[in-house]
Amino acid sequence: MKTILSFIFFSFGLAIGLFIENLPFLTFKKEVGVGEIANFLIALTIAILIPLLLHTWIDNKRFIKDYLIEEIKACLVTLTKIKEIVDDCYSNDSTSDKDKGRIVYLFSEVDRQINTFCEEMKHNFKKESKDIINIIKEANITYWKETTGGPLMNQQFKINYNFYNKHNSSFYKNEVVIKKCISKINSL
Amino acid sequence: MDNNIKIVIAKDFSDTPGARYKTDGPFSGEQFLEEILLPKFKEAIKKDCFVEIYLDDVWGYPSSFISGSFGKLAKDYTSEEVLTHIKLISESDPLLVEKITSVIIKPDLI
């Protein structure tokens, strides 16, 4: 087996040697120095490596941005669940303690999603993250205050037209902020 | 500031905090303030230490509860004094700490 392998390697080397020697378009002039050859090889390596590395870097950045956008979209899904509960309560003219508890619980769920998003954002875009994080946190805190800061948790309270209306406007304001942040992340 | 005072809301009060006032329903912010937060806060001022408030293991905090307890305390004692003697702790939700702090800093906004 060893002999066969040695023979194959020897033949392969011989073939390459013959090929280079008889190569019609590549002739080495004797006056070409080692420095020039090294220069040529370095230029060739850079020409191959830079686009390759750049491409990988851009791909990675895109992947991170897509991931962050998915994270923030997940918050929007949870926020939409809050809106759906408010919508149902209003249209059924009935607001149970369970509905109120679920709204409050979903707010803490959104908090956890925002916390994860902020951590990822800080980790991947340290410089740019500050503005986006502040805007998202502030909008979410405002939405939380406007939704659960009024009469919602009062035992006798049923979601009425006034609450429904104010909630909708608050929800859409928050939604716009999050969507703007998605487009900001996209342009990073 | 050694020998800090501890409040674990889920254990010492409820895991389902309610509305703002006692008249609004059970486990209100007002009830929490009167029965737990205020006595411990006064004790912390006296001893010159912190009240460590553990916020985890609760289903969620309505803003009305926070405003009726922490907000009211800040109105009565100033935001600076409250922030000097209260330490909010949450391992699962750091944003909650920011939310409560924002209510303490601007208690009139709700």
Side-chain angles (χ1 to χ4, degrees):
Chain A
M1 186 70 181
K2 258 186 179 177
T3 329
I4 299 170
L5 269 176
S6 311
F7 178 72
I8 291 171
F9 278 119
F10 176 74
S11 315
F12 188 64
L14 196 73
I16 290 174
L18 283 171
F19 176 73
I20 289 172
E21 198 187 40
N22 299 311
L23 211 61
F25 50 85
L26 233 176
T27 50
F28 290 103
K29 286 183 183 171
K30 280 186 179 166
E31 54 269 24
V32 176
V34 180
E36 282 156 323
I37 294 173
N39 250 347
F40 169 73
L41 289 174
I42 289 168
L44 198 71
T45 313
I46 288 172
I48 293 168
L49 273 185
I50 285 186
L52 204 74
L53 290 175
L54 208 65
H55 190 259
T56 317
W57 181 72
I58 289 168
D59 267 3
N60 285 346
K61 213 176 166 197
R62 185 67 259 167
F63 175 79
I64 292 162
K65 281 197 236 175
D66 285 346
Y67 173 72
L68 286 167
I69 290 168
E70 284 307 311
E71 290 277 309
I72 203 69
K73 275 184 180 169
C75 295
L76 208 52
V77 170
T78 312
L79 290 167
T80 307
K81 282 183 192 167
I82 295 173
K83 189 186 177 298
E84 281 166 5
I85 296 173
V86 172
D87 288 351
D88 285 348
C89 288
Y90 176 65
S91 55
N92 297 331
D93 196 22
S94 137
T95 312
S96 66
D97 286 348
K98 202 178 162 190
D99 294 322
K100 294 174 186 180
R102 192 148 164 71
I103 289 172
V104 172
Y105 173 74
L106 286 170
F107 270 106
S108 37
E109 192 72 28
V110 177
D111 278 4
R112 280 186 279 271
Q113 288 169 321
I114 290 178
N115 286 326
T116 314
F117 165 78
C118 293
E119 285 308 309
E120 292 297 331
M121 192 72 197
K122 273 186 223 163
H123 180 71
N124 291 296
F125 297 97
K126 209 175 177 183
K127 267 188 193 169
E128 304 90 335
S129 66
K130 210 177 168 190
D131 275 355
I132 295 176
I133 286 174
N134 285 344
I135 290 168
I136 284 190
K137 277 183 179 176
E138 207 172 295
N140 188 60
I141 291 175
T142 305
Y143 178 49
W144 168 71
K145 282 180 180 172
E146 286 173 356
T147 306
T148 67
L152 179 73
M153 296 310 287
N154 297 4
Q155 220 169 16
Q156 306 303 324
F157 181 74
K158 266 198 238 168
I159 289 175
N160 53 28
Y161 176 76
N162 206 17
F163 182 92
Y164 175 72
N165 221 3
K166 276 185 186 166
H167 170 266
N168 271 356
S169 116
S170 184
F171 171 83
Y172 289 121
K173 263 188 237 163
N174 195 20
E175 191 189 38
V176 166
V177 169
I178 290 177
K179 286 184 174 169
K180 276 184 184 169
C181 284
I182 290 177
S183 91
K184 272 187 184 174
I185 294 168
N186 246 329
S187 59
L188 284 176
Chain B
M1 288 193 193
D2 278 316
N3 303 319
N4 291 335
I5 301 157
K6 239 188 207 182
I7 298 174
V8 181
I9 294 187
K11 244 172 138 186
D12 302 336
F13 185 66
S14 166
D15 63 353
T16 53
R20 188 182 305 265
Y21 301 114
K22 284 196 270 192
T23 49
D24 297 335
F27 305 121
S28 64
E30 189 182 22
Q31 186 189 345
F32 174 66
L33 177 68
E34 285 177 4
E35 291 174 10
I36 297 175
L37 185 59
L38 189 60
K40 304 256 184 190
F41 181 72
K42 282 180 178 171
E43 194 186 331
I45 294 175
K46 214 173 163 187
K47 288 183 178 172
D48 191 26
C49 66
F50 280 120
V51 187
E52 289 178 346
I53 302 174
Y54 292 84
L55 303 159
D56 288 342
D57 302 322
V58 165
W59 284 97
Y61 289 89
S63 172
S64 51
F65 173 86
I66 301 297
S67 172
S69 50
F70 294 96
K72 179 75 170 57
L73 190 68
K75 272 185 191 170
D76 295 346
Y77 281 83
T78 76
S79 308
E80 291 73 26
E81 178 116 56
V82 172
L83 291 171
T84 307
H85 291 284
I86 273 182
K87 205 174 184 179
L88 300 160
I89 298 162
S90 173
E91 280 179 20
S92 65
D93 187 358
L95 184 56
L96 177 62
V97 174
E98 287 182 45
K99 278 176 166 181
I100 300 175
T101 308
S102 84
V103 173
I104 293 171
I105 291 171
K106 290 177 181 171
D108 292 321
L109 275 187
I110 298 182

